[in-house]
């Protein structure tokens, strides 16, 4: 009898391949439209671009026992030529297709964090990988859209929609329409076949979402010169946002670099061309996120109550129990403030250990000329200003910047 031994890296590759294949198969079944599903809403898809219309999903909890109803919401389309397909429902419960294979699909406690949000499944330009984008339930298309990017470790759900500290709700109340992305491998967006998070892929996915938001709000084909969405990136997400602004400035009207970890003195090393031994096994190993890592951004006594810090940590570990594995960080070496030529706000706490004032000054003074730029320092605040007691100042500064000043990004893409 012959035995075959399979390495752990090969097993991991098979798992990623299987998950990717299931997701692609699901998209294929949507495109064929030969299966009938029970659903309370409909999916609109533009002719000539299968699945471009995206999917909206909202979870409303009926009682404290965790029982719920889920429904698809009609996805708006700027095209007059469109067809509708039914969405999928299993055991009377509907799930957004991009959530398949994520903690939101397998853990009811994690899914409960989506209360009050619409969940949109958007195929990425290029490989069609489904991206999850969140918006507040019942979008108002007349409000100014702003797209939010999370940081290195945690999903946009705990970062931007934390119970009574939801910055998404605050933006909506301030007459902005927020949309938050989960990068691949974070929260509601499943890992792709590589299992890695790559900066240029995050940039491309952000471009996909900016285009979708612009179409959703009628900013592409509108006769008037309406502004494109604003883009906010936090921490490492600010580096992604900066690269988007450098590459595709016409896709956004305003750029907010919040707690940016940009540092001209830091150069990320390139990966070695050749490795030996179990390098791949080590790279593919699963690392669990920890509670202490979830609360490490709170460093100033009195800036946030212990209960609120604990609430964030619990939510963060529910959405991202495992670390997302970043690679090719050397692509962030392409961040060059002089190539940013859209109106830009640089904002951070005065005691942010990851965004010291010296570096923020370097970032601000080297931004490209010819566009408005502002620099705001929030006192008695560290890295997570938007979650602290003084978050109202952060909200006011960002909102005023987005809604006022010299307009940009009005050229259709």
């Amino acid at each position: 009898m012959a035995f075959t031994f399979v390495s752990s890296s090969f097993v991991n590759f098979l798992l990623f391949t299987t998950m990717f294949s299931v997701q692609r198969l699901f998209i294929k079944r949507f495109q064929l439209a030969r299966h009938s599903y029970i659903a309370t809403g409909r999916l609109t898809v533009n002719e000539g671009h299968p699945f471009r219309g995206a999917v909206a999903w909202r979870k409303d909890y009926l009682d404290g026992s965790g029982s719920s109803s889920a429904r698809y919401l009609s996805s708006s389309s700027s095209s007059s030529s469109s067809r509708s397909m039914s969405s999928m429902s299993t055991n009377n419960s509907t799930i957004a297709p991009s959530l398949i294979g994520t903690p939101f699909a397998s853990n009811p406690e994690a899914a409960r964090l989506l209360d009050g949000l619409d969940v949109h499944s958007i195929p990425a330009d290029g490989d069609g990988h489904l991206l999850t984008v969140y918006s507040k339930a019942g979008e108002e298309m007349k409000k100014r859209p702003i797209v939010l990017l999370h940081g290195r470790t945690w999903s946009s759900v705990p970062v931007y929609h934390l119970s009574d500290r939801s910055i998404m709700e605050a933006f909506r109340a301030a007459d902005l329409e927020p949309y938050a992305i989960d990068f691949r491998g974070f929260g509601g967006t499943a890992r792709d076949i590589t299992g890695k998070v790559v900066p240029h892929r995050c940039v491309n996915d952000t471009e996909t979402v900016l285009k979708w938001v612009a179409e959703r709000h009628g900013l592409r084909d509108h006769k008037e010169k309406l502004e494109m969405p604003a883009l906010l990136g936090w921490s490492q997400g600010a580096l992604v946002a900066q690269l988007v602004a450098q590459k595709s400035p016409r896709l956004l009207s305003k750029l907010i670099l919040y707690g940016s970890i940009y540092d001209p003195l830091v150069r990320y090393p390139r990966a070695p061309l050749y490795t030996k031994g179990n390098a791949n096994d080590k790279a593919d190993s699963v690392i669990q996120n920890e509670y202490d890592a979830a609360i490490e951004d709170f460093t100033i006594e009195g800036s946030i109550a212990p209960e609120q810090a604990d609430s964030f940590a619990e939510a963060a570990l529910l959405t991202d129990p495992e670390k997302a594995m970043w690679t090719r960080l050397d692509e962030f070496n392409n961040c060059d403030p002089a190539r940013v030529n859209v109106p830009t706000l640089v904002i951070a706490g005065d005691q942010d250990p990851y965004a010291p004032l010296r570096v923020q000054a370097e970032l601000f003074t080297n931004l490209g000329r010819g566009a408005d730029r502002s620099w705001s320092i929030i006192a008695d605040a560290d890295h997570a200003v938007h979650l602290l007691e003084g978050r109202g100042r952060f909200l006011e500064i960002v909102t005023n910047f987005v809604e006022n000043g010299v307009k940009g990004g009005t050229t259709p893409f």
Side-chain angles (χ1 to χ4, degrees):
M1 181 180 295
F3 295 92
T4 301
F5 296 93
V6 183
S7 70
S8 60
S9 61
F10 182 69
V11 172
N12 287 333
F13 175 77
L14 287 178
L15 290 175
F16 284 130
T17 303
T18 302
M19 182 177 70
F20 182 77
S21 299
V22 169
Q23 188 181 64
R24 299 289 289 184
L25 177 61
F26 185 75
I27 298 174
K28 183 72 173 177
R29 294 182 71 179
F30 254 52
Q31 293 172 344
L32 293 176
R34 295 175 181 171
H35 306 273
S36 60
Y37 303 110
I38 301 171
T40 57
R42 300 189 67 78
L43 168 66
T44 301
V45 181
N46 295 339
E47 287 286 356
H49 199 317
F51 217 62
R52 182 61 182 270
V55 183
W57 176 77
R58 183 173 69 211
K59 197 167 187 64
D60 298 305
Y61 283 85
L62 302 179
D63 55 48
S65 66
S67 63
S68 64
S69 66
R71 66 188 183 89
Y72 278 90
L73 303 178
S74 178
S75 177
S76 62
S77 169
S78 59
S79 172
S80 59
S81 175
S82 62
R83 66 179 182 272
S84 295
M85 301 179 185
S86 296
S87 55
M88 189 184 83
S89 176
T90 306
N91 297 327
N92 296 322
S93 126
T94 312
I95 184 170
S98 58
L99 296 180
I100 294 174
T102 74
F104 292 120
S106 59
N107 188 338
E109 290 298 318
R112 192 169 286 113
L113 299 173
L114 299 177
D115 189 23
L117 294 178
D118 288 346
V119 178
H120 311 269
S121 297
I122 303 174
D125 291 343
D127 63 358
H129 186 82
L130 289 182
L131 310 171
T132 293
V133 177
Y134 311 96
S135 65
K136 283 299 298 172
E139 298 92 339
E140 298 182 28
M141 298 305 158
K142 294 182 179 180
K143 292 180 180 288
R144 178 75 178 278
I146 179 171
V147 175
L148 313 176
L149 308 182
H150 61 73
R152 178 190 62 184
T153 312
W154 311 111
S155 157
S156 283
V157 174
V159 169
Y160 296 124
H161 187 61
L162 179 66
S163 56
D164 64 336
R165 295 186 177 231
S166 170
I167 198 69
M168 295 185 71
E169 291 184 358
F171 277 136
R172 166 67 76 81
D175 282 335
L176 297 179
E177 193 61 55
Y179 294 85
I181 306 173
D182 269 348
F183 294 135
R184 303 181 187 206
F186 289 88
T189 298
R191 298 181 183 184
D192 61 19
I193 194 170
T194 70
K196 301 295 191 296
V197 190
V198 185
H200 83 266
R201 215 173 280 135
C202 295
V203 169
N204 294 341
D205 292 346
T206 301
E207 291 173 332
T208 296
V209 173
L210 285 169
K211 293 175 186 176
W212 174 76
V213 170
E215 291 181 5
R216 186 175 179 81
H217 284 256
L219 303 181
R220 180 175 184 177
D221 299 318
H222 202 283
K223 295 180 180 179
E224 300 177 6
K225 271 195 170 184
L226 297 180
E227 292 194 24
M228 301 300 286
L231 178 63
L232 179 150
W234 177 46
S235 191
Q236 192 158 291
L239 301 185
V240 175
Q242 182 176 331
L243 289 176
V244 172
Q246 292 177 196
K247 179 186 175 187
S248 303
R250 292 188 300 173
L251 295 183
L252 61 149
S253 60
K254 303 285 180 71
L255 174 67
I256 300 96
L257 302 177
Y258 163 38
S260 174
I261 62 172
Y262 168 80
D263 190 334
L265 300 181
V266 173
R267 305 296 293 177
Y268 296 97
R270 289 189 295 269
L273 288 176
Y274 310 106
T275 58
K276 183 179 180 181
N278 296 323
N280 290 333
D281 290 345
K282 182 178 180 181
D284 292 336
S285 61
V286 175
I287 302 175
Q288 299 295 320
N289 274 317
E290 298 179 352
Y291 181 92
D292 287 349
I295 59 172
E296 67 181 5
D297 289 336
F298 307 123
T299 62
I300 302 176
E301 187 175 357
S303 64
I304 186 171
E307 297 79 12
Q308 296 295 339
D310 181 71
S311 176
F312 174 81
E314 290 183 353
L317 292 174
L318 284 172
T319 60
D320 294 284
E322 298 174 358
K323 281 185 179 294
M325 305 304 294
W326 287 86
T327 189
R328 295 300 309 271
L329 293 181
D330 59 287
E331 293 178 358
F332 284 135
N333 295 338
N334 293 317
C335 285
D336 180 2
R339 294 169 59 194
V340 175
N341 294 290
V342 299
T344 302
L345 168 65
V346 176
I347 183 169
D350 66 339
Q351 300 179 51
D352 187 337
Y354 306 108
L357 295 183
R358 170 192 60 82
V359 178
Q360 297 292 289
E362 184 83 10
L363 170 62
F364 176 75
T365 56
N366 286 286
L367 289 171
R369 305 299 188 264
D372 275 6
R373 47 185 173 153
S374 300
W375 181 18
S376 291
I377 304 169
I378 299 181
D380 301 321
D382 49 26
H383 198 50
V385 180
H386 67 289
L387 294 173
L388 305 181
E389 298 299 335
R391 62 192 179 280
R393 290 172 291 165
F394 170 84
L395 175 68
E396 181 180 4
I397 292 169
V398 172
T399 301
N400 287 339
F401 175 78
V402 171
E403 293 186 335
N404 301 317
V406 176
K407 296 182 179 181
T410 56
T411 305
F413 53 83

